[in-house]
């Protein structure tokens, strides 16, 4: 059995809490995040209960973790050309559960893009505001080594074969792990936010900032304007940054749908909550474990 995210993050220096998202239409977003993806509604803060000017939010996740918090009030969908969230990634606890949600997406005929990154299986899809979600299952056991060739990454698998970082996903193999035909089950315990991927305006500044937060440099693929970092554990891709929306790209206008902030949890920490902003304006909150 390959480890799920609760096992693979056990040695990480930090783990992810929830990703907070600004959305334009809460009910429409719930159809996506709750009804299609299968997140469970964990609670609601009615208007006036949260921070000043908060219009009410919905907390979503699985029985043992909060994963996504939806904040209504955005007035426009995701805009391109800005530093922002590229995608958040929910990591599945098993091959069977990855296969289940993939089957649900196919049955719903919802557009998505199954992809093999060798380090992990994935599929990508947009919510109604254009916020990109990756569903992932970690397969780091397939990787022998990584090389940068001409500024571009290549993965050498355990059988010595070379792969690009993005290849078609072998659906026959994935679906061979199905344990039943019930696509209606919600996401199970053990799902976690496994990584986030950000658009930034400056790769080096972002790497320096996130190294200061607690991430460890992993891959610097300058040929494609990309870098990623680990959190000290076995899975190397815990945060990624790219300049694919332009070097120096600013933050989107206020009230644009997208990421409000993401949370990092320090399992050993006792320091108070820290609210941080990276050099490109992306926000995060570092907090101690409860």
């Amino acid at each position: 059995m390959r480890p799920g995210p609760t096992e693979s993050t056990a040695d990480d220096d930090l783990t992810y809490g929830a990703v907070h998202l600004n959305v334009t239409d809460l009910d429409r977003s719930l159809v996506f995040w709750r009804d299609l993806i299968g997140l469970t509604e964990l609670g609601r803060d009615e208007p006036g209960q949260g921070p000043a000017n908060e219009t009410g939010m919905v907390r979503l996740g699985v029985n043992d973790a909060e994963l996504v918090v939806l904040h209504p009030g955005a007035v426009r969908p995701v805009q391109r050309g800005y530093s922002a969230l590229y995608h958040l990634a929910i990591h599945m606890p098993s091959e069977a559960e990855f296969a289940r949600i993939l089957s649900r997406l196919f049955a719903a005929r919802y557009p998505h893009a199954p992809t093999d990154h060798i380090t992990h299986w994935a599929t990508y899809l947009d919510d109604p505001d254009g916020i990109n979600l990756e569903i992932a299952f970690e397969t780091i056991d397939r990787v022998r080594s990584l090389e940068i060739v001409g500024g571009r990454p290549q993965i050498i698998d355990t059988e010595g074969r070379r792969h690009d970082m993005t290849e078609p996903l072998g659906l026959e193999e994935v679906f061979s792990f199905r344990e039943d035909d019930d696509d209606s089950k919600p996401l199970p315990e053990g799902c976690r936010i496994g990584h986030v991927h950000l658009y930034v305006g400056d790769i080096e500044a972002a790497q320096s900032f996130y190294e200061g937060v607690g991430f460890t440099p992993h891959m610097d693929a300058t040929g494609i304007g990309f870098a990623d970092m680990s959190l000290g554990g076995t899975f190397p891709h815990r945060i990624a940054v790219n300049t694919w929306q332009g070097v120096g790209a600013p933050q989107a206008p206020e009230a644009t749908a997208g990421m409000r902030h993401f949370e990092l949890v320090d399992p050993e920490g006792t320091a108070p909550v820290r609210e941080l902003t990276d050099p490109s304006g992306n926000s995060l909150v570092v907090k101690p474990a409860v």
Side-chain angles (χ1 to χ4, degrees):
M1 292 284 293
R2 289 168 171 145
T6 57
E7 294 85 11
S8 74
T9 59
D11 295 327
D12 284 3
D13 297 326
L14 301 166
T15 57
Y16 281 97
V19 179
H20 290 243
L21 303 173
N22 294 321
V23 299
T24 60
D25 185 322
L26 182 58
D27 290 337
R28 185 179 65 167
S29 293
L30 284 170
V31 170
F32 176 86
W33 293 97
R34 182 190 61 199
D35 302 338
L36 176 66
I37 299 304
L39 293 173
T40 297
E41 189 171 322
L42 302 177
R44 295 189 180 216
D45 290 344
E46 297 301 327
Q49 289 183 335
N53 301 319
E54 181 61 80
T55 56
M57 60 186 181
V58 178
R59 297 180 291 107
L60 301 167
V62 293
N63 286 340
D64 61 343
E66 184 176 275
L67 303 180
V68 172
V69 180
L70 300 179
H71 297 259
V75 300
R76 64 182 66 84
V78 169
Q79 304 292 299
R80 303 304 174 191
Y82 297 100
S83 289
L85 177 72
Y86 177 26
H87 60 251
L88 66 147
I90 299 176
H91 288 211
M92 295 292 105
S94 68
E95 294 99 330
E97 292 299 337
F98 180 84
R100 187 191 308 280
I101 190 169
L102 211 64
S103 178
R104 182 157 68 240
L105 295 174
F106 278 118
R109 298 189 176 183
Y110 198 94
H112 64 111
T115 304
D116 192 349
H117 292 300
I118 314 304
T119 56
H120 58 291
W121 296 340
T123 197
Y124 297 88
L125 62 163
D126 287 343
D127 87 343
D129 284 311
I131 299 170
N132 191 249
L133 168 66
E134 177 182 356
I135 303 292
F137 177 70
E138 298 172 21
T139 60
I140 195 66
D141 58 290
R142 301 159 66 200
V143 177
R144 175 187 294 175
S145 61
L146 169 74
E147 294 182 3
I148 304 296
V149 180
R152 302 182 68 86
Q154 288 192 342
I155 290 178
I156 296 87
D157 69 20
T158 51
E159 297 181 3
R161 296 172 298 192
R162 289 182 175 270
H163 299 267
D164 291 329
M165 290 290 293
T166 299
E167 296 186 347
L169 183 63
L171 296 178
E172 184 175 353
E173 178 186 4
V174 171
F175 288 126
S176 73
F177 288 97
R178 289 293 304 271
E179 295 176 347
D180 58 61
D181 294 327
D182 186 357
D183 293 337
S184 66
K185 293 180 180 179
L187 295 189
E189 292 186 3
C191 292
R192 294 292 186 271
I193 300 296
H195 70 274
V196 299
H197 191 157
L198 305 173
Y199 293 124
V200 299
D202 185 313
I203 292 283
E204 291 183 359
Q207 287 176 297
S208 178
F209 172 84
Y210 286 106
E211 189 171 357
V213 171
F215 289 85
T216 302
H218 171 244
M219 178 172 55
D220 188 348
T222 55
I224 59 172
F226 168 92
D228 72 353
M229 308 180 83
S230 76
L231 278 165
T234 58
F235 188 71
H237 185 69
R238 291 300 182 203
I239 196 167
V241 295
N242 72 67
T243 53
W244 300 338
Q245 295 299 313
V247 174
Q251 281 285 299
E254 188 176 354
T256 298
M259 186 180 70
R260 174 175 290 213
H261 65 266
F262 65 90
E263 298 174 348
L264 289 170
V265 179
D266 183 350
E268 306 296 331
T270 58
V273 172
R274 292 184 293 154
E275 298 180 1
L276 305 173
T277 303
D278 76 14
S280 296
N282 299 306
S283 296
L284 61 148
V285 172
V286 182
K287 61 184 186 179
V290 177

